[in-house]
Amino acid sequence: MDIVKFGDAATIGRGVFEPGWKWSNDVKPIAGTASCQSAHTGYCISGSNDREDGLGERFTVRPGDVFHMPPGHDAWTEGNEACVIIDVTGVKNYAKPA
């Protein structure tokens, strides 16, 4: 995750999630929460990312998609290509211990 901070105004991240990456396997041990507690709003540049919320609703983010995902979800890279996402809301507290 590449992160750019604009003082207290904004923190924006560019995440590259390789094939096989899954939040519940790769970040959950760091965060210490049952699901991702960051809200993410962003844009998918390449690859594909599946997300499932706490109610079991699932959706896929593909190149060119703009998305918002509330806290309480799992996410994983789908397919053989790394998923590259620009996140404009969820990076400040992402992958930090609860």
Side-chain angles (χ1 to χ4, degrees):
M1 177 75 67
D2 297 320
I3 298 173
V4 176
K5 293 182 180 184
F6 298 94
D8 291 334
T11 302
I12 298 173
R14 178 184 175 270
V16 178
F17 304 96
E18 298 294 336
W21 176 87
K22 187 170 185 178
W23 186 93
S24 55
N25 295 335
D26 301 307
V27 183
K28 180 179 178 176
I30 298 166
T33 56
S35 60
C36 180
Q37 296 303 302
S38 293
H40 303 281
T41 305
Y43 177 77
C44 181
I45 295 172
S46 63
S48 179
N49 182 272
D50 279 359
R51 295 163 187 237
E52 186 172 310
D53 67 18
L55 302 174
E57 187 174 331
R58 185 172 164 179
F59 72 93
T60 301
V61 174
R62 294 184 176 89
D65 287 350
V66 174
F67 62 88
H68 175 75
M69 180 54 133
H73 60 271
D74 194 4
W76 57 94
T77 299
E78 191 66 42
N80 299 337
E81 180 182 359
C83 182
V84 180
I85 290 177
I86 302 298
D87 187 338
V88 297
T89 61
V91 179
K92 188 173 184 179
N93 297 314
Y94 179 74
K96 293 184 180 178

